[in-house]
Amino acid sequence: MLASVSLEAAAGDCVHVIGPNGSGKTTLLRIIAGLLTPEEGKVGWSGQDTRTSRDEFAAASAYLAHSDGLKPEFTATENLSFDAGLRRRVADEEIADSLSQVGLSHARDQIAATMSAGQRRRLAMARVLLAQVPLWILDEPYTNLDTGGAALVAAVVGRHLDAGGAVVMAAHQPPPIPHHVPRRLELPS
C-alpha cells in the first residue's frame, strides 16, 4: 500500500524509486502514468492535475512497463514505426537512429518474437526514445539486459536528462547513468 508518497521531477532530474518486492513501485509508476487512479492525492504535470489534462500528459510522457508491449509478429522497424506512428509522423532515419542508440541496427528486420529478452527490452527502450517526450516513466528498464545492453540504455537515459528530459524509474539496481546521480525515493515494505 502506498501512503504519503510525494515526488517531483524537473527538467534534467532522474528519480530512482526503490523498495522491496511488493512495496508498490510498479503501482506508483502506473499511477504516475495515468493507468491507475490514486485513492487519495493527485499527479500533476505543468501545474495541472493529470486527470483533467489527460491528453496533454499522455502526449508529454512515455511509459515502459514490465512487459515490453511489442508486437511479436512485427520486425523491429515495424514495431517502432507502428508505435511512433500513433503519436506523430516518424522518418525512417529516426527509426534507424533509435535502433542504433540501443545497439540494434543489425536487427532492424528481425521479427520481435525471435529476439532475445534483452534485445526486446532494448527495442522497447528505442520506442520510448522515439516518442520524443519530456517525461519517461520506466519500470525496471535494465531487466534482462547484459552489461553492454545496460550501458547502452543508461547512456540513452543520460542523453535524455542532458537534453532537459525527466525520468522516473523503478529499478532494483542503482541505475548507472553517466554524469547523473538519481535522487532516491525509497518505498517501505
Side-chain angles (χ1 to χ4, degrees):
M1 174 164 84
L2 295 170
S4 301
V5 175
S6 178
L7 70 93
E8 186 173 315
D13 283 349
C14 180
V15 178
H16 176 206
V17 181
I18 61 170
N21 291 340
S23 63
K25 297 180 298 295
T26 294
T27 299
L28 176 61
L29 294 187
R30 287 179 179 164
I31 288 170
I32 293 169
L35 301 173
L36 295 174
T37 303
E39 291 177 11
E40 294 181 18
K42 68 177 184 172
V43 176
W45 176 256
S46 294
Q48 301 289 321
D49 185 325
T50 58
R51 289 177 288 197
T52 59
S53 60
R54 187 175 305 272
D55 291 344
E56 292 86 355
F57 181 67
S61 62
Y63 176 63
L64 174 67
H66 276 275
S67 168
D68 296 325
L70 301 171
K71 298 204 172 297
E73 68 279 7
F74 283 14
T75 66
T77 299
E78 290 168 339
N79 264 289
L80 295 178
S81 179
F82 173 78
D83 191 80
L86 295 173
R87 289 182 179 262
R88 63 181 180 84
R89 276 198 178 300
V90 61
D92 291 342
E93 295 79 24
E94 292 176 276
I95 291 173
D97 181 58
S98 68
L99 287 169
S100 175
Q101 288 191 53
V102 298
L104 289 177
S105 292
H106 67 282
R108 62 174 287 127
D109 296 320
Q110 187 173 346
I111 301 292
T114 67
M115 293 179 160
S116 71
Q119 288 174 314
R120 288 191 309 270
R121 197 63 174 166
R122 286 188 282 151
L123 180 56
M125 195 62 209
R127 185 181 59 216
V128 170
L129 173 66
L130 202 53
Q132 294 185 347
V133 294
L135 177 61
W136 291 359
I137 305 163
L138 309 176
D139 198 353
E140 297 294 344
Y142 302 105
T143 297
N144 295 320
L145 296 181
D146 58 20
T147 305
L152 286 169
V153 168
V156 166
V157 170
R159 286 190 296 273
H160 180 65
L161 296 171
D162 290 342
V167 175
V168 178
M169 88 167 58
H172 287 288
Q173 305 302 322
I177 303 168
H179 313 292
H180 294 275
V181 178
R183 285 186 290 116
R184 289 171 45 127
L185 172 64
E186 188 164 357
L187 302 180
S189 55

